[in-house]
Amino acid sequence: MIQYYTALGRYELRTNEQGEKHPVLISSRQEYTPELCEMLLWSSLLWHIRDQKELEVEFARRKADLHICDDYSLAYYCNRLERLGFLRRGSGYTAVDALFELMAPLYPIPAAARFPAKLFSFFHLVFRRGVPVRVAARVFRRDRLDRDEQQVMNLLTQTDLSTAELVACVDQGLLDVRPNALLLDRLYSEPQLTCDNLPAYVRASARLIPVLQAVTNLYLRRLLVLEQY
């Protein structure tokens, strides 16, 4: 059985009353101030999709780097963050099955970096990391998307869609999904269809793998964050 893990939501640095900065996790309109090990785990999964072994190795490495010794297992932190809605896992007998179970109910949200953030990254690379200017300038380049990735991004910039709903849209050739009420009528035209069983309905779609691959690539390239409503 293959099992994949990823992080949900995003984070912000907040300043407390003592003037100290600390991270806050934000997902589906809820906020949570994580403990150090929880933050290490979550950050090791943000914009990554890791299997059990990869996650164990990465989490152990990060704890060792900070000389952290505690009595709690990786499973403890995974279960805690999953209950809180900041981590998701998916399993299956094949990699595609596990990836689809992981991604199907999630809502990919465009997370294009704004110019000030890119400018900060540029100066950090040049003056703090010593990266040559011509190499650091790559942060300003626009990502080149293939046809499937562009179609996914076009749909996501119009409205919120789960990965399963994206598959259904592409399968039906829907390009303009802005009238949201009409879109729901098209996607859930069968009386028995709901957001819970739509993943099983689109599992046989010929467009499943291209859309799943496009969403995964966009996420791994940090162009999307994942939410679970």
Side-chain angles (χ1 to χ4, degrees):
M1 182 73 73
I2 299 172
Q3 193 165 66
Y4 288 138
Y5 298 77
T6 196
L8 302 182
R10 57 188 177 86
Y11 81 97
E12 291 181 359
L13 285 178
R14 302 277 179 84
T15 304
N16 61 22
E17 296 178 352
Q18 290 73 39
E20 301 169 332
K21 291 187 176 181
H22 62 92
V24 173
L25 301 182
I26 304 170
S27 180
S28 301
R29 295 175 292 279
Q30 64 177 338
E31 300 183 357
Y32 175 65
T33 301
E35 298 176 358
L36 178 56
C37 284
E38 291 172 335
M39 189 64 195
L40 289 180
L41 173 58
W42 183 87
S43 61
S44 70
L45 288 172
L46 179 63
W47 291 313
H48 289 86
I49 295 173
R50 301 186 188 275
D51 63 23
Q52 179 78 28
K53 185 61 178 179
E54 291 171 337
L55 185 55
E56 289 174 354
V57 171
E58 180 64 14
F59 187 55
R61 183 190 68 79
R62 294 193 177 204
K63 288 176 65 177
D65 287 345
L66 295 177
H67 307 288
I68 296 174
C69 296
D70 67 346
D71 297 326
Y72 296 105
S73 66
L74 172 63
Y76 167 82
Y77 290 115
C78 284
N79 291 335
R80 182 169 173 79
L81 286 180
E82 188 172 28
R83 286 195 304 270
L84 292 168
F86 294 98
L87 178 149
R88 178 169 171 80
R89 71 185 87 194
S91 58
Y93 290 104
T94 69
V96 171
D97 289 339
L99 186 59
F100 183 65
E101 183 180 297
L102 177 75
M103 302 291 283
L106 301 182
Y107 285 76
I109 308 297
R114 297 176 179 175
F115 182 78
K118 289 190 175 184
L119 188 63
F120 174 83
S121 298
F122 173 79
F123 283 118
H124 176 78
L125 290 171
V126 172
F127 296 109
R128 297 292 297 275
R129 301 284 296 277
V131 175
V133 171
R134 69 178 184 278
V135 176
R138 293 174 184 171
V139 301
F140 294 107
R141 294 180 183 176
R142 296 187 63 181
D143 286 85
R144 293 184 178 180
L145 308 183
D146 64 25
R147 184 183 62 180
D148 292 326
E149 292 167 353
Q150 188 62 63
Q151 186 174 14
V152 165
M153 288 298 285
N154 287 343
L155 290 168
L156 292 177
T157 54
Q158 295 177 54
T159 189
D160 292 340
L161 294 165
S162 70
T163 301
E165 289 172 339
L166 281 168
V167 175
C169 284
V170 174
D171 196 42
Q172 296 183 37
L174 299 178
L175 301 178
D176 188 345
V177 295
R178 283 169 292 188
N180 199 47
L182 296 178
L183 171 65
L184 293 178
D185 288 340
R186 291 286 300 273
L187 293 183
Y188 299 96
S189 56
E190 302 290 337
Q192 71 275 15
L193 278 180
T194 67
C195 59
D196 293 324
N197 61 26
L198 184 66
Y201 182 79
V202 302
R203 188 65 183 83
S205 170
R207 301 299 299 161
L208 171 65
I209 292 179
V211 173
L212 186 60
Q213 184 176 26
V215 172
T216 302
N217 287 342
L218 291 168
Y219 175 63
L220 296 178
R221 286 155 61 187
R222 305 189 177 193
L223 297 178
L224 301 171
V225 294
L226 301 173
E227 298 276 1
Q228 186 171 14
Y229 298 140

